[in-house]
Amino acid sequence: MLKDFSKLETFLIVVRERGFSKASAKLGVSQPAVTQQIKYLENYLDTKLIERKKSGIRLTSAGEELYKIALELESAVYTAENKILKIINKDITFNLGASFTIGNYIIPGQCMLGIKETIGNDVNLTIEVTRRIIQKVKDRSLDFGLIEAPIFDEELIYRNWLEDELVLFSNTPLPRVVHIEDLYNFDWVCREDGSHTRKIVQEKFQSLGISCKEFNVISEVNSSTALLNTVIRSKQNLERPTVSIISKYAIADDVANKKLYQTKINGVTMDRIFYIVYSKHNKSNPYVVSATDYLLSGKC
């Protein structure tokens, strides 16, 4: 008898993610381990379940039947887990950690409310630098993390969440597009050494032969909020605007209200990914699963 549901769970995730590599990322195991579990099922059932294609995968007729059965078992397991959690803890607080840009500008409001409604419990938000979020998720003082720097750890599972873009902005109107040589004519507010944002900017500029050391840096700050407030409160100067670079999410409302102005640097894009992170011990936790599914649904 096949008593180990983890192999069926792997099968379900391969089907949902439409591939072995994406399934391995979601499960936090290597791709060969995923392949091995599928092989075990195929050997146990003595039939082919999944065919690999260039565009992804395709289920065989036996695979389609097993998928229906696995869905029924999954539903029963989740129902049982939720009942057990209600016995253990009728009221819990879900501990969510977020790095500064996410915690201050993306999660508050609809996102927090949506997570709370999805899991049916209170959500406590902790805002920290990414490395602290990672450590707290590892020691399980946080159930879940949302981070903007790719600090990876083999004990954790990472899911790609949001695409972000770092943009040039000012409290003074700027041209629709600025050129690289224009960057030396601005007064700059920069993030501190060690900041992930600063690292991305420096690497991008260095690849283009731009030396940040030649910029006129008037201030260095240790958070996106401090950076934003410094630029907002600086004196407007059409001849020499005060500028900085920040997540597009951090200034979206101020740009819409014409309190701030953003522009593009000709030929330069600075994209990054925000990640969902949680412990491998929590990969089947119904609250973590529900919160992850909600965030990946694009509803916030």
Side-chain angles (χ1 to χ4, degrees):
M1 180 183 292
L2 184 64
K3 297 179 180 179
D4 184 0
F5 183 71
S6 67
K7 293 179 176 59
L8 288 173
E9 179 189 28
T10 299
F11 173 73
L12 279 173
I13 292 172
V14 169
V15 176
R16 286 173 178 152
E17 297 295 322
R18 305 301 303 166
F20 285 68
S21 60
K22 288 183 178 179
S24 70
K26 182 169 183 178
L27 288 164
V29 299
S30 66
Q31 187 170 328
V34 172
T35 302
Q36 186 178 32
Q37 296 223 39
I38 299 302
K39 279 290 181 187
Y40 178 92
L41 285 173
E42 290 180 331
N43 290 336
Y44 178 81
L45 297 170
D46 195 26
T47 187
K48 188 76 172 174
L49 298 172
I50 295 174
E51 294 179 350
R52 296 197 193 197
K53 303 288 184 181
K54 287 184 179 179
S55 57
I57 61 161
R58 188 181 74 83
L59 289 176
T60 64
S61 57
E64 294 281 3
E65 289 299 315
L66 182 63
Y67 184 58
K68 293 175 186 176
I69 295 167
L71 285 175
E72 292 176 8
L73 285 170
E74 180 188 51
S75 177
V77 169
Y78 281 161
T79 299
E81 283 182 338
N82 279 312
K83 287 179 179 178
I84 290 169
L85 285 170
K86 286 178 181 178
I87 293 170
I88 297 171
N89 244 332
K90 290 188 177 179
D91 294 305
I92 67 134
T93 297
F94 186 75
N95 291 305
L96 167 64
S99 52
F100 283 100
T101 296
I102 298 169
N104 286 315
Y105 303 107
I106 299 176
I107 285 296
Q110 181 57 43
C111 250
M112 282 286 286
L113 181 61
I115 294 171
K116 182 177 179 179
E117 290 177 346
T118 298
I119 68 174
N121 274 290
D122 289 333
V123 178
N124 179 56
L125 175 62
T126 298
I127 301 175
E128 296 259 23
V129 295
T130 292
R131 63 179 178 275
R132 292 282 296 155
I133 297 296
I134 293 292
Q135 186 54 51
K136 289 186 176 183
V137 171
K138 282 182 67 176
D139 65 28
R140 300 171 76 179
S141 58
L142 288 175
D143 300 300
F144 197 82
L146 297 169
I147 59 173
E148 56 199 82
I151 301 175
F152 297 115
D153 190 287
E154 62 181 13
E155 295 179 29
L156 306 177
I157 293 174
Y158 298 79
R159 305 292 305 281
N160 288 12
W161 176 37
L162 280 180
E163 293 182 359
D164 184 33
E165 181 183 2
L166 296 173
V167 295
L168 182 73
F169 77 102
S170 176
N171 67 345
T172 302
L174 296 168
R176 188 175 61 84
V177 176
V178 300
H179 298 278
I180 289 175
E181 56 268 25
D182 298 326
L183 302 179
Y184 298 98
N185 299 321
F186 299 141
D187 290 334
W188 284 82
V189 179
C190 297
R191 286 295 301 272
E192 78 287 4
D193 269 332
S195 156
H196 180 58
T197 299
R198 180 161 176 161
K199 182 174 181 287
I200 292 175
V201 173
Q202 284 183 328
E203 288 177 352
K204 172 59 73 171
F205 281 180
Q206 284 172 3
S207 71
L208 297 169
I210 303 170
S211 175
C212 296
K213 292 180 180 179
E214 295 178 26
F215 289 170
N216 184 42
V217 178
I218 61 173
S219 181
E220 289 190 6
V221 296
N222 63 2
S223 74
S224 53
T225 302
L227 185 149
L228 192 56
N229 288 332
T230 302
V231 174
I232 287 174
R233 293 172 183 171
S234 66
K235 186 177 180 179
Q236 286 191 328
N237 185 339
L238 292 172
E239 296 297 321
R240 195 174 183 88
T242 298
V243 303
S244 191
I245 290 175
I246 201 169
S247 164
K248 65 179 182 180
Y249 292 105
I251 59 171
D253 289 341
D254 289 326
V255 168
N257 296 327
K258 298 191 181 302
K259 190 174 181 180
L260 290 172
Y261 305 87
Q262 77 176 60
T263 186
K264 291 187 176 294
I265 305 171
N266 188 42
V268 179
T269 56
M270 289 174 279
D271 299 326
R272 62 178 176 178
I273 299 293
F274 291 152
Y275 300 90
I276 297 167
V277 58
Y278 49 89
S279 168
K280 289 182 178 180
H281 297 288
N282 272 338
K283 68 180 182 181
S284 297
N285 181 307
Y287 298 128
V288 169
V289 171
S290 296
T292 301
D293 289 345
Y294 171 75
L295 289 169
L296 292 178
S297 71
K299 293 178 181 177
C300 73

